[in-house]
Amino acid sequence: MTTRPSLRTIGFGLFGALFFGAFVYLMTSSKWTLADGTDYKTGMIIMWIVLGVFVFFTLACLWTIFTIKTIVLTSKTLIIKRPFLLLQKTVPIDNIRQVTERTFKINPTVRWTTYNVYEGKQILIECFQGKSILLNSFEISDYYNLTKQLSKLRREKNNGSGKQNEDLKNENQGYGWLVFVALLTIGLIYSIIKQKL
């Protein structure tokens, strides 16, 4: 089986880059003016720091898109591909020592309020050489099918022993926040275009 690229990861990366990139554009296309009584050097340092923060978040969101994973699971190997970076890692099924599953959450805190953006599952694949691989349901669209097939292969290798992974609940979680971020970004870009016309 081959997993599809995650729409959640692409969506949050793309709209995040556009959102923070819009602020970078606003700051670089406008003349910087300081409030009366503000030291010029201090004001410029603050403005450059703010611009640097927006540039950092823009690049971080773009990096999220570039590091998207697709997984290929065959009867003998687990192949982790990063298609945009042309990277690939192959793990033989016989080389997997243990697979454990746990909860995966994205809960940012803003002004002492925690928002539940996403809650899903994550598997930790431990290999005999001491290396480990983390895969989660946010970044893999076919997470449930992948874990089910991986468990099946490992049970077959272990002569029927092993635990069957549970069904992934709330598989569509996170898309509401994605729609909110998309609408917010589209509104911001629309207002910038309207202002410039």
Side-chain angles (χ1 to χ4, degrees):
M1 74 164 290
T2 303
T3 64
R4 297 165 292 153
S6 170
L7 291 177
R8 276 184 288 254
T9 306
I10 294 170
F12 276 103
L14 178 64
F15 286 110
L18 288 172
F19 181 79
F20 291 111
F23 282 104
V24 170
Y25 173 75
L26 281 175
M27 289 188 72
T28 54
S29 65
S30 304
K31 185 180 179 182
W32 293 358
T33 56
L34 302 174
D36 292 337
T38 304
D39 179 54
Y40 179 80
K41 188 175 180 180
T42 304
M44 285 294 112
I45 290 171
I46 292 170
M47 292 294 281
W48 280 107
I49 289 172
V50 171
L51 178 63
V53 168
F54 284 125
V55 168
F56 170 78
F57 281 114
T58 302
L59 294 176
C61 290
L62 288 173
W63 182 249
T64 301
I65 296 172
F66 281 112
T67 57
I68 282 177
K69 296 175 187 171
T70 58
I71 312 295
V72 178
L73 181 63
T74 69
S75 60
K76 295 183 178 179
T77 58
L78 176 73
I79 304 167
I80 302 165
K81 295 182 177 181
R82 295 186 189 268
F84 293 125
L85 297 177
L86 303 176
L87 295 175
Q88 175 175 306
K89 181 176 186 176
T90 302
V91 179
I93 298 297
D94 292 334
N95 196 25
I96 296 174
R97 182 174 62 86
Q98 184 179 4
V99 177
T100 53
E101 189 171 42
R102 53 192 176 194
T103 302
F104 175 77
K105 295 181 180 181
I106 299 175
N107 295 333
T109 302
V110 179
R111 294 185 181 179
W112 301 283
T113 303
T114 301
Y115 297 95
N116 183 16
V117 174
Y118 182 79
E119 184 173 344
K121 295 283 185 181
Q122 174 177 261
I123 55 172
L124 173 64
I125 301 170
E126 297 177 54
C127 301
F128 282 111
Q129 289 89 359
K131 296 180 180 178
S132 59
I133 301 161
L134 276 172
L135 303 172
N136 64 64
S137 56
F138 183 83
E139 64 183 0
I140 299 171
S141 292
D142 303 310
Y143 175 86
Y144 168 67
N145 289 332
L146 174 67
T147 56
K148 186 177 179 180
Q149 294 298 322
L150 184 58
S151 293
K152 182 179 174 185
L153 281 174
R154 294 194 70 241
R155 276 198 313 276
E156 290 170 1
K157 296 282 182 187
N158 297 328
N159 297 321
S161 65
K163 182 177 175 269
Q164 171 84 32
N165 287 6
E166 296 178 4
D167 289 358
L168 179 64
K169 297 176 182 176
N170 301 325
E171 198 171 351
N172 295 321
Q173 210 179 38
Y175 287 110
W177 282 101
L178 179 57
V179 170
F180 172 74
V181 170
L183 291 174
L184 189 66
T185 303
I186 290 167
L188 176 63
I189 291 172
Y190 174 77
S191 66
I192 291 172
I193 292 170
K194 192 174 179 182
Q195 182 183 1
K196 294 295 178 182
L197 291 179

